[in-house]
Amino acid sequence: MGTHNSKENHQIKSSRTDTDPQQTFIPLTIKVNQQTDYNGWQEIYRCSHAEWVHGVSELFGFVQHTFTCNSELHSVCAPGFCSESLSRKLHPNFTRCSPKSSFSTSRSILPSLSPSSIKSEKLRQHFEYNHVPAMISSLQNYSVHGIVNGCSKSGLNHGDTIMLSVYSSILNKTQFIIVDLKLNRYVCALDNDYYGLVNASKVHASWSIDRTQVIVRVPILEDSTALDFYKIVKKEAKIYRRILPIDSRTQFQFTPNYWSSHLLIYTHTTYNRSTTINYNTTRLTPSSSNKIQRQIIAQQRQSTGSYLTLKNIHTWSTYTYEQIFVDQGFRFLSMIYTPDGVYIILTFADTRCHCEQTLPLSYFDVCDANTLQRLKRIHTQLISHVCSLHMCRNLLTPIFSHSANRMAFCTTTNNGGKELQISIVVLPNQLNLKSICRRLIIHYLHIFNGNIEDITRELPYRLSQYVQYRPEYP
């Protein structure tokens, strides 16, 4: 519970936004009468998708975000483009389940998923010429095969950074490289070649906040998946630990309140099994060997079921864990921290294909970031043709306000799936004076000054780090 101040009696009048220069909207006039005192978990506003993109998002302190796949609305190099859709375009043989081409009018905001082979080839060439070093693309005959993590915000933890999967048919090996789209440069490569063609959709990766470590979940055998840990040494990522086997649906993310020491992991195990942890005892230098020593350092017995676990990345010890109970007919989709690291949002979606005219269901579990206990469950429903199995997840992923006190997500609940709406929910204040003060500071900085990034340049270093949610702990 807490007080959330905002402007009152706002009016917004807009004819269009810059998100889609080719789309024309009817001018909208929106009047919002906001109260100043809200309870935690309270839905404070609901609007149509058109109203959201025409000013409601900025009014309530959110960044401009359409929730739709925007890979076709920006240039290829633009930061924040939907890499999941782009990854599908790199696969010319990708087709959706539904053969129907005529969708309802509500489907018009969704992207087309039928790219031509010519466009796919241009995308491959773009990445190879601009982001893949010549040593890898030309001399070793590697070509871009896919993008790891898709558009997941919980992946590399940096919106401008993606991981590419490159494959050499001559060497029959797959390699992973990291590129920064904002700086338009190659960052590093994982110095461990994986034999055969590794499907990028079966790989999951996370990058530490201080950019010193990378963790990758990758299939290494036909029925086995490993968790590989890398430390970045100059422009190479050296492997130092491998955990084998793990569940192929395991997801993980570095905790934003710590630079690189805390890792949140979601696991699902259907039977008891032992886990082998192997370490690379060779000193990690640019010229050192990158082979894993095949000696058993430790064993862990995994319990059956779904668990959320907070781990120490250095010792691989467990801080805390919590069993997750998934509703029947639903599957775990993704997890994301709030910007201040106070809450964890777990997204679950039903297991059916919705490429045809059926209404998908999903729900969010809001958990405490320290105890991992569930605090709230929010059910939602989307418009037809939004398929969590075959489409971009932007429509299923919530976003947060600048001050991290509000969450917005897509829904059609209470209108029978006729119109896509955006629901804005207040997140309760944490009982922590430091966190409450930061919310208020960022809220007023955003109202009176606009762009937070521009303001931070004028602030003292520690205050600048504070309002940017930079961690204080190693």
Side-chain angles (χ1 to χ4, degrees), residues 27-91:
L28 298 175
T29 300
I30 305 167
K31 186 175 181 180
V32 180
N33 185 8
Q34 298 185 20
Q35 65 185 75
T36 58
D37 222 1
Y38 298 116
N39 296 322
W41 314 119
Q42 177 183 349
E43 182 183 70
I44 60 174
Y45 196 72
R46 181 178 291 201
C47 64
S48 68
H49 184 267
E51 292 172 331
W52 171 264
V53 299
H54 282 80
V56 171
S57 59
E58 296 180 0
L59 176 61
F60 283 91
F62 292 86
V63 297
Q64 288 187 349
H65 180 70
T66 65
F67 287 100
T68 58
C69 175
N70 59 3
S71 64
E72 296 180 350
L73 309 183
H74 300 281
S75 63
V76 175
C77 268
F81 71 90
C82 175
S83 54
E84 183 167 297
S85 174
L86 184 60
S87 183
R88 292 195 178 97
K89 293 174 184 177
L90 295 175
H91 295 71

Side-chain angles (χ1 to χ4, degrees), residues 11 97 207-208 262 275 292 322 415 430 445 453 457 466:
Q11 287 191 1
C97 292
W207 199 6
S208 64
H262 287 49
T275 299
I292 284 290
E322 186 76 16
N415 71 5
Q430 186 189 36
L445 284 176
E453 289 75 12
R457 303 187 189 128
Y466 174 67

